[in-house]
Amino acid sequence: MSDPTGTCADYEISCDPDRLDPARIHHWLSTDAYWALGRSREQQDRAIAGSLNFGAYERASGRLVGYARVVTDHATFAWLCDVYVDRAVRGRGLGTALAAAVRDRLAPLGLRRVLLATDDAHGVYGKAGFAPITDPEKLMVLKTG
């Protein structure tokens, strides 16, 4: 499935799994993303295989420069995670563009809730319409590791 969406003029976003670069994604996340440091390549490959994936690509070269992953049942719920933009192209709106592409791709599904967690990028996601949870007391977590 391909779902290209133009963004930031020099970049495009696609859901085409054949365009992904799993080695690059693993390197980014396992070495530079606070939430995934040390994640194994096997874990990352399983995560990619079980998710709806978004890649941000330079139009000129086709090189992957950003990534986002969505875990969803395509009916009621989605979790946006593993959003990463290559350090060399940060500050150009690609993080927000990825979040907006996720929002737009999921909108026709009529999901009740799309969640994400972030320590430091509230402004990035806010520009795409995400907002703090108004009733966090409803959420719980099962810590397994």
Side-chain angles (χ1 to χ4, degrees), residues 34-35 80 83 95-96 99 115-133:
Y34 66 83
W35 64 91
L80 171 58
V83 179
T96 297
L115 293 179
L116 66 85
T118 183
D119 279 349
D120 58 1
H122 296 79
V124 169
Y125 300 111
K127 291 175 189 173
F130 286 84
I133 294 174

Side-chain angles (χ1 to χ4, degrees), residues 14-144:
S14 173
C15 290
D16 182 350
D18 294 332
R19 293 184 70 185
L20 293 174
D21 181 343
R24 185 173 180 86
I25 293 165
H26 173 255
H27 175 75
W28 282 339
L29 296 177
S30 67
T31 65
D32 194 39
Y34 66 83
W35 64 91
L37 293 175
R39 184 181 291 170
S40 74
R41 174 65 191 268
E42 187 269 333
Q43 276 183 307
Q44 187 59 51
D45 287 349
R46 280 190 296 138
I48 289 170
S51 301
L52 173 61
N53 300 279
F54 293 75
Y57 303 89
E58 288 179 334
R59 288 190 190 279
S61 69
R63 185 174 70 98
L64 180 69
V65 294
Y67 174 73
R69 183 169 70 85
V70 177
V71 179
T72 183
D73 61 8
H74 299 275
T76 63
F77 177 80
W79 177 265
L80 171 58
C81 53
D82 287 348
V83 179
Y84 187 92
V85 174
D86 189 310
R87 288 186 175 274
V89 297
R90 287 185 186 170
R92 300 177 191 183
L94 284 174
T96 297
L98 278 164
V102 167
R103 176 199 64 210
D104 296 347
R105 171 66 173 73
L106 297 178
L109 300 178
L111 304 178
R112 182 175 175 142
R113 186 170 287 121
V114 179
L115 293 179
L116 66 85
T118 183
D119 279 349
D120 58 1
H122 296 79
V124 169
Y125 300 111
K127 291 175 189 173
F130 286 84
I133 294 174
T134 56
D135 51 2
E137 65 280 355
K138 291 183 179 181
L139 297 176
M140 297 180 73
V141 64
L142 174 63
K143 294 187 178 190
T144 59

